[in-house]
Amino acid sequence: MDFPRRRWLNHQTPAWVTYPDFFITLCTVPYGTDQLCQPGVAEGVIESFVHRHENHVWYVWACVVMPDHVHAVISPADDVDLTRSVADFKRWLARQKGIRWQRGFFDHRIRQQIESAYTILKEITAWHKKHQEEKKNGIVTGK
């Protein structure tokens, strides 16, 4: 059976957008494998975010490291290409920490103030906590 080819989306920010905030998700492969919450790995992911923030590559507003993916709210610097900088981030972590990343990434440009981005991360964190509790108790709802 031939599956349709996946179309890759353009991550370029439109010229009329100034200082965009992005909600990004980076996933590991295979799905469901705890690669990121291992000793030294989660710290390395956070340190890499801090490094990019301190060097004005991204302004990192928040990030959450989960066992098989990372959520973050970032604002790339004006002269930074989001796709290239995320690829560099993932490449460095793959080499340094042995993380196997899924190809590409998910991004959503936030159109409101940063408080909205904080709310998104807060809701995702709450969902993950609830999901983990349900999983412990043998209940998986998927919602």
Side-chain angles (χ1 to χ4, degrees):
M1 173 187 230
D2 290 332
F3 291 101
R5 289 190 68 103
R6 184 175 182 181
R7 194 177 94 201
W8 290 97
L9 300 176
N10 182 356
H11 293 282
Q12 293 298 108
T13 304
W16 50 268
V17 175
T18 57
Y19 302 106
D21 297 326
F22 287 94
F23 172 73
I24 62 170
T25 301
L26 313 173
C27 299
T28 62
V29 290
Y31 174 78
T33 304
D34 181 359
Q35 293 185 58
L36 302 175
C37 291
Q38 298 299 316
V41 177
E43 294 86 352
V45 172
I46 299 297
E47 287 169 6
S48 191
F49 274 112
V50 170
H51 173 78
R52 280 155 180 76
H53 182 86
E54 290 174 347
N55 289 285
H56 309 286
V57 176
W58 301 333
Y59 300 96
V60 181
W61 300 103
C63 66
V64 178
V65 179
M66 305 303 292
D68 64 351
H69 63 282
V70 176
H71 297 292
V73 177
I74 62 171
S75 299
D78 285 341
D79 60 340
V80 171
D81 177 81
L82 181 64
T83 302
R84 187 174 310 228
S85 65
V86 169
D88 292 344
F89 174 82
K90 289 168 49 175
R91 186 179 312 107
W92 189 87
L93 285 167
R95 289 179 182 156
Q96 296 298 313
K97 301 296 178 179
I99 299 169
R100 292 179 47 219
W101 295 105
Q102 181 181 11
R103 187 172 165 209
F105 65 101
F106 168 82
D107 71 303
H108 175 78
R109 187 166 28 92
I110 300 170
R111 291 176 171 84
Q112 300 293 322
Q113 296 294 329
I114 198 62
E115 289 82 21
S116 298
Y118 174 75
T119 302
I120 290 169
L121 278 176
K122 192 170 153 187
E123 289 174 8
I124 287 171
T125 304
W127 180 87
H128 278 292
K129 272 183 157 176
K130 179 181 177 231
H131 185 68
Q132 291 303 321
E133 276 302 311
E134 290 174 346
K135 209 166 152 185
K136 279 185 202 173
N137 296 324
I139 305 167
V140 178
T141 62
K143 294 182 181 180

